[in-house]
Amino acid sequence: ERQNAKAERELNDFIAHEIRNPLSAAMAACSFVSTSVSERQALKDADAMEAVREDVGVIDTSLHFVNDLLRDMLDMHRAVNKQMKIENTATDIRMDILEPVACMLYRRNDNFEAIVECPENLVVMTDRVRLKQVVLNLGRNAAKFVERGFVRLRAVVEDDHVCIYVEDSGPGIPEEKRGKLFNKFQESLDSLSQGTGVGLSLCEKIVTMMGGVIYLDESFHSGVVGCPGARFVIDLQKTEPISMSSINLQQHDEVSPDAHADGLFGHADGAGHKGQMEEAHNATNTDTSLPDNLSILFVDDDLILRKLFCRSVKKCMPEWKVKEASNGETALMMVDDNHFDIIFLDQYMTSVDKQLLGTETARALRAKGVRSRICGLSANDLGVTFLESGADAFMLKPFPCQKEKLTTELLRVWASASTNGDDVDADV
C-alpha cells in the first residue's frame, strides 16, 4: 500500500510538473492574443500580425505537448495493464511509417531537413499504428533539440529482419542521462525541463510487445560540426520482409457483384444511390472514353487497398501512372514536385496522432493552388462535405474492382470537373 501511495504521489508530481510550463505559456499567449484583437486598431500593421502568429504558435505547441503527454500516459497505463493489443497488418515501412512521420515533422518545423532513407516496397507484418507512434515520438524528440542539420528516418534489412534508425544532428544526450532514457519518469533532457520519460518508456514497451528492442546507439555521430547528435535504433527482431505476392489481395476482390454495386453507389436509403447512378449515367453518355495517359495519386492509410486500387486501375487503363500516399500530409508534399490529374482522398487515416482528414487535405490542396480533379473516398456518405471542401467528386467505399464498373466510376470522376464548372486540363 505504501508503494502504491508513493507511486501515485510521483505520478501526480510528474503530471503537475510536466503540464504546468506548457499551460502557463499557452495562457500567457492567449492573454496577448486577446489583448491584440481587442484593440481599436486591431492587427492593422505587420508587426502586430507577426506577434499574434507567434503567440498562436506557442498555444499550438503547448497544447500539442499536453495532448501528447496525456495520450502517452493513457497508452502506458493500457500497456502496463495488458489492455493494449498488437495487431499486425501488411505495412510498407517507407510509405506507411517513415514518409508520413517525416511529413508531420516537416509541417511542425522548418529549421532542419527531414530525410527518409528506405528501400522501395519494404513490406512487413507489424502493427502499423503503434510502430508509427514510436517513430513519431522519437522523431519529435529529435526535432525539439535540432537547431540545424537533419532528422533522418532510415530503414534497412539486416540478417533477415528490419531495423529502423531515427538519427539527428542535435546536441546529443549527456552521458550521465543515457542509462536512464527509458525510465518511466526520467529527468528532463533539455534546459526547459520538458521531460520525455513517459514517451520513451512507452516506446520501449510497445517495441517489446512487438518482439523487438529499442536502444540508443552511443557510437553515432551526426557528422555536423559541433552537433554530435543521437541515433535511436528500433530492431524489429521477429519481423522479416515479405513480398506483396505473398499477400492474398484476391480476398478483397471476393465480394458479390451486388455488394460492389451497393458499396459503390450509395446507402440503403437510396438517395445517394440514385444521385451517383445518375452522375455515372450522364458521364458515360457525355464522354465515353478516358485519356490514355493520366497521372493518379491514391491516398489511403491501408496498404492492401492502395495495392488493390493500383492493380484495378491498371486493368482498366494500363498506361496510367499511379502513385500512392498513406496520409494527407504526404500528399501535400508530393504535389509540390508532381503533377496529378486525379487525386483520390480517403477521409479517415488511422493514427494515434491527429492527421489531416480527407476533407481537410482537399481544402489544403485547393489553398496551395492545386487544380487536379479531387475525388473523396469514404464508407460514409460524405459527398456534400467533400464537395464543400473543394473536391470535384465522391465515391463510396468499397470501390468496384470489376473493370467495367470501375471504368464507369473513373469516367464519372473525370467528367466531374466540367460538371462542377472547373476548367481542369490533363497533360495528355
Side-chain angles (χ1 to χ4, degrees):
E1 188 173 334
R2 279 186 181 178
Q3 287 183 333
N4 290 339
K6 181 181 178 183
E8 185 174 350
R9 272 198 315 274
E10 288 179 350
L11 176 60
N12 291 337
D13 290 344
F14 179 81
I15 293 175
H17 175 264
E18 292 299 305
I19 291 181
R20 183 177 61 247
N21 283 351
L23 281 185
S24 297
M27 291 171 66
C30 278
S31 177
F32 286 129
V33 171
S34 177
T35 301
S36 298
V37 299
S38 300
E39 294 175 351
R40 180 172 297 180
Q41 299 293 324
L43 309 180
K44 290 294 185 180
D45 60 83
D47 290 341
M49 285 291 294
E50 183 60 29
V52 168
R53 287 194 188 96
E54 290 179 0
D55 290 334
V56 170
V58 170
I59 296 170
D60 178 71
T61 301
S62 300
L63 293 180
H64 270 99
F65 178 85
V66 173
N67 179 72
D68 293 346
L69 174 66
L70 294 179
R71 182 203 62 215
D72 284 349
M73 294 192 70
L74 288 172
D75 282 342
M76 177 60 77
H77 177 76
R78 294 190 189 102
V80 169
N81 289 278
K82 299 182 179 179
Q83 296 174 341
M84 180 183 290
K85 295 181 179 179
I86 298 299
E87 299 179 0
N88 292 336
T89 58
T91 301
D92 187 314
I93 294 294
R94 183 185 187 95
M95 298 194 66
D96 292 328
I97 307 296
L98 303 188
E99 286 186 348
V101 169
C103 291
M104 295 172 82
L105 295 178
Y106 174 80
R107 286 172 59 83
R108 290 203 173 193
N109 210 329
D110 59 1
N111 63 344
F112 62 86
E113 185 179 5
I115 303 170
V116 172
E117 296 179 1
C118 178
E120 297 287 343
N121 300 315
L122 178 55
V123 178
V124 299
M125 294 297 294
T126 189
D127 190 313
R128 170 175 50 84
V129 173
R130 292 302 176 185
L131 182 56
K132 184 161 67 173
Q133 180 181 6
V134 171
V135 176
L136 181 59
N137 200 319
L138 295 174
R140 282 184 175 160
N141 282 348
K144 284 194 341 182
F145 301 109
V146 174
E147 295 183 355
R148 58 190 175 93
F150 62 86
V151 173
R152 182 165 51 228
L153 311 176
R154 188 164 61 91
V156 298
V157 179
E158 296 180 354
D159 299 326
D160 295 327
H161 63 270
V162 175
C163 286
I164 297 175
Y165 300 93
V166 179
E167 305 165 341
D168 68 70
S169 59
I173 298 174
E175 288 188 20
E176 65 272 15
K177 294 186 177 181
R178 294 178 182 178
K180 304 176 182 179
L181 282 177
F182 299 102
N183 289 359
K184 190 171 182 180
F185 302 123
Q186 66 164 50
E187 295 180 4
S188 165
L189 294 178
D190 63 323
S191 60
L192 297 178
S193 295
Q194 301 287 104
T196 55
V198 172
L200 289 176
S201 180
L202 177 62
C203 287
E204 183 181 47
K205 186 70 175 177
I206 292 174
V207 173
T208 300
M209 291 175 67
M210 292 192 296
V213 295
I214 181 173
Y215 59 91
L216 176 71
D217 181 357
E218 299 189 35
S219 67
F220 175 79
H221 192 286
S222 71
V224 178
V225 177
C227 304
R231 172 196 280 162
F232 282 89
V233 182
I234 305 168
D235 189 345
L236 301 176
Q237 295 177 324
K238 298 181 180 180
T239 307
E240 296 183 4
I242 60 176
S243 64
M244 287 304 299
S245 60
S246 67
I247 301 173
N248 185 15
L249 294 181
Q250 190 63 32
Q251 63 184 326
H252 294 263
D253 282 331
E254 293 172 356
V255 182
S256 69
D258 291 339
H260 268 300
D262 290 342
L264 170 61
F265 291 119
H267 284 231
D269 61 12
H273 183 123
K274 182 178 178 181
Q276 286 198 348
M277 281 288 287
E278 289 177 352
E279 287 183 28
H281 178 73
N282 292 336
T284 52
N285 281 344
T286 57
D287 189 356
T288 58
S289 63
L290 289 163
D292 291 331
N293 296 289
L294 292 183
S295 179
I296 310 297
L297 175 62
F298 187 78
V299 186
D300 194 297
D301 64 320
D302 190 297
L303 170 64
I304 302 298
L305 286 180
R306 294 199 307 268
K307 299 304 180 186
L308 182 58
F309 178 84
C310 293
R311 191 183 70 178
S312 300
V313 167
K314 286 292 186 181
K315 286 182 180 179
C316 300
M317 304 299 297
E319 300 302 317
W320 284 15
K321 296 180 175 62
V322 183
K323 291 192 175 183
E324 310 166 29
S326 63
N327 65 353
E329 287 83 353
T330 303
L332 288 170
M333 290 193 68
M334 291 178 70
V335 297
D336 290 337
D337 301 317
N338 300 272
H339 166 79
F340 297 105
D341 299 297
I342 306 176
I343 300 175
F344 291 89
L345 296 174
D346 187 32
Q347 173 68 347
Y348 299 108
M349 317 286 180
T350 306
S351 176
V352 294
D353 196 82
K354 173 67 174 73
Q355 292 189 155
L356 290 175
L357 298 172
T359 46
E360 293 171 335
T361 305
R363 189 174 292 112
L365 287 167
R366 294 305 188 210
K368 287 171 70 82
V370 175
R371 300 177 67 242
S372 310
R373 289 164 172 82
I374 297 177
C375 178
L377 299 169
S378 178
N380 301 316
D381 193 356
L382 299 177
V384 172
T385 305
F386 263 102
L387 293 177
E388 290 176 346
S389 300
D392 301 290
F394 175 74
M395 187 188 301
L396 275 166
K397 297 170 71 175
F399 54 83
C401 296
Q402 296 96 331
K403 181 177 179 179
E404 295 77 11
K405 289 183 178 180
L406 182 56
T407 300
T408 298
E409 276 300 280
L410 293 174
L411 279 167
R412 181 178 67 82
V413 173
W414 183 246
S416 63
S418 58
T419 301
N420 293 333
D422 296 324
D423 181 18
V424 183
D425 296 323
D427 293 340
V428 295

